[in-house]
Amino acid sequence: MYSNQEIDKAAGWLSKAEKIVVLTGAGVSAESGIPTFRDALEGLWAKFNPEELASREGFMANPRMVWDWYESRREKVRQCQPNQGHYALAELEKSKNLVIATQNVDQLHHRAGSQNVLELHGNILANRCFTEGNLLKDEELDWTTLPPKCRCGSYARPAVVWFGEFLPETILSRAMEASRRADLFLIAGTSGLVQPAASLPLLAKQNRAKIIEINKEESALTAIADIFLMGSFAQVMPQLTTATIKLL
Ligand code: OAD
């Protein structure tokens, strides 16, 4: 657990910071009911094989199975709501210069009202052409097969980044640039194991940014955190926002 003094110290830094970057991971959506990836029991990668379900090779081998798995995840995402942590972060953005680089594909930051969101790993609710890569609206698809097809005859696929794929170039470079310039970097709900997202706080650290981390347990990034707030995002983030706004 963390102390009130640690919250106050973190809030003091946040209130003075001029360029804040927040890196979020699956843990920030856990309390909205969306499973994380690496939890030993409930994590998606404990139950499912990422090579089969989250790679181009897996999709080519069994497009229908991969499509159906993403449909079930989409259904879950549509039913879930942002939690108090998402709302508190959106509230903080109203009074601070802040950019969120999220690894999450669930759109919950947007739905909570955050404006400045960089989706490093894409958006699960959108589709792209498997061959050409362009985004496709539902009405542009031929639904006589599943997965549905693009006009070019190729299958549509979810607009997420799979293992072995590059992150969207412009979004990644914006996140890297913001991280290099940041004077405060907040890490929340990520194991810090997946690159290149996990390197963003290191870019900030090189610029002497202060690093605050919120996580239920220590992560691969805890070693570089100046303040580690051990707790759940939906509990800690509202406290941090309230304490910060009081100082403004
Ligand atoms: P992980 O599942 O690897 O890590 C989730 C982290 O959230 C862990 O460190 C947990 O301790 C923490 N956590 C869980 N519940 C929490 C809570 N209520 N409050 C605070 N922290 C909590 O998820 P990511 O780090 O997001 O990539 O994984 C990174 C990427 O790996 C994902 O974007 C996904 C996956 O493969 C793609 O799909 C491309």
Side-chain angles (χ1 to χ4, degrees), residues 114-185:
S114 289
Q115 303 284 323
N116 216 354
V117 185
L118 298 172
E119 292 181 306
L120 299 169
H121 293 167
N123 168 7
I124 198 170
L125 298 174
N127 287 305
R128 289 201 275 129
C129 172
F130 182 72
T131 305
E132 297 167 333
N134 50 305
L135 283 169
L136 296 165
K137 296 198 180 108
D138 277 1
E139 57 270 25
E140 293 172 308
L141 293 172
D142 170 3
W143 290 90
T144 52
T145 60
L146 281 182
K149 285 190 170 161
C150 172
R151 284 203 191 107
C152 76
S154 174
Y155 283 129
R157 54 163 283 185
V160 298
V161 174
W162 281 335
F163 287 100
E165 293 187 314
F166 292 112
L167 272 61
E169 206 178 311
T170 317
I171 290 176
L172 178 62
S173 58
R174 282 171 62 195
M176 288 173 68
E177 192 54 33
S179 301
R180 280 197 197 97
R181 289 165 189 254
D183 55 0
L184 191 140
F185 198 104

Side-chain angles (χ1 to χ4, degrees), residues 19 33 66 99 120 166 196:
K19 292 173 206 144
V66 174
V99 42
L120 299 169
F166 292 112

Side-chain angles (χ1 to χ4, degrees), residues 24-28 30-31 36-39 43 45 54 70 73 103-105 121 160-163 188-194 214-219 231-234:
T24 64
V28 308
E31 287 149 290
T36 62
F37 292 93
R38 292 179 182 76
D39 183 87
W45 297 153
Y70 278 93
R73 284 183 58 199
Q103 298 166 88
N104 299 343
V105 294
H121 293 167
V160 298
V161 174
W162 281 335
F163 287 100
T190 179
S191 57
L193 291 171
V194 173
I214 302 172
N215 200 307
K216 279 202 323 192
E217 49 195 57
E218 289 195 7
S219 76
S232 92
F233 183 68

Side-chain angles (χ1 to χ4, degrees), residues 61-76:
N62 203 337
R64 180 66 196 263
M65 181 184 75
V66 174
W67 180 263
D68 287 349
W69 186 67
Y70 278 93
E71 275 301 297
S72 68
R73 284 183 58 199
R74 285 168 165 174
E75 202 41 48
K76 178 109 197 154

